[in-house]
Amino acid sequence: MITIGIVDNDRFALPMLDMPLTDIPGPEICRRVRAASADIVVLGITAYSLDHYRQLAIDAGAQGLIAKSVTPKKELAEAMRNVLVRPFPGFPTTEQAHGSIVSASARRSRTLSKREREVLGLYADNYSTAEIAERLGIADSTVSVVVRHAKVKLDVATRSKAVRVFRALY
């Protein structure tokens, strides 16, 4: 987490989250903040392609995403001021994101089995199908069946979308 932000009444009113953190990725931190509060505006920041992290940031409840290359202080300050007034185009408001994360989490936490959460979590940690099968002591085909069931429950068409939704919710 980048500890730059606008402080309001001794709390961060605008935390800026680095998307590709290794221990806890920015989208996961954002999802946790958003699940807990509809009051905090979250701005994602990345050195990588904005296209790569845009949907992850939206799904996690961020109000905007900027490139680290926006280093001139004037441009960064302008982006921070703008996101406090309204979300970037295509991003949800804090209230919309909070409601979406809370209701989706409640629905999905009841529907995904422990095994489905395990498998998607391992895919989210970049394990291959063979590595997941070996780690869990199951066949590769069983991993595929578990993913297929999770995709149906999450109402998504691809494994990568299932992992993205899983990351946003857990």
Side-chain angles (χ1 to χ4, degrees):
M1 178 175 188
I2 296 178
T3 57
I4 298 170
I6 298 171
V7 179
D8 179 26
N9 295 327
D10 297 323
R11 69 178 176 88
F12 278 106
L14 179 63
M16 293 174 48
L17 300 177
D18 194 352
M19 292 290 108
L21 294 174
T22 53
D23 290 336
I24 302 177
E28 173 59 18
I29 296 169
C30 181
R31 187 200 62 75
R32 290 179 187 185
V33 167
R34 186 56 57 231
S37 173
D39 298 329
I40 300 171
V41 173
V42 177
L43 181 61
I45 187 166
T46 183
Y48 299 97
S49 164
L50 293 179
D51 291 337
H52 178 75
Y53 283 103
R54 179 180 167 76
Q55 193 60 51
L56 281 172
I58 290 170
D59 291 347
Q63 282 57 67
L65 179 66
I66 60 173
K68 282 186 181 178
S69 61
V70 179
T71 51
K73 291 179 184 177
K74 184 178 178 182
E75 290 180 34
L76 179 58
E78 183 178 335
M80 292 169 73
R81 276 193 304 275
N82 288 342
V83 79
L84 285 170
V85 174
R86 76 178 61 81
F88 286 16
F91 282 79
T93 65
T94 58
E95 295 83 7
Q96 290 168 333
H98 176 71
S100 177
I101 295 287
V102 169
S103 66
S105 181
R107 280 193 319 272
R108 291 182 176 132
S109 65
R110 289 189 303 244
T111 61
L112 285 182
S113 70
K114 179 182 176 193
R115 179 66 83 190
E116 290 160 347
R117 291 190 306 271
E118 277 179 314
V119 168
L120 290 178
L122 291 170
Y123 275 121
D125 290 337
N126 294 316
Y127 283 80
S128 70
T129 300
E131 291 169 330
I132 292 170
E134 182 178 342
R135 185 174 176 132
L136 299 178
I138 58 178
D140 289 13
S141 59
T142 303
V143 172
S144 298
V145 169
V146 170
V147 170
R148 188 172 58 236
H149 291 168
K151 289 187 320 187
V152 169
K153 290 178 181 179
L154 296 174
D155 193 27
V156 297
T158 65
R159 183 180 79 196
S160 62
K161 179 65 177 175
V163 171
R164 188 168 53 214
V165 170
F166 173 81
R167 278 182 171 160
L169 296 174
Y170 295 94

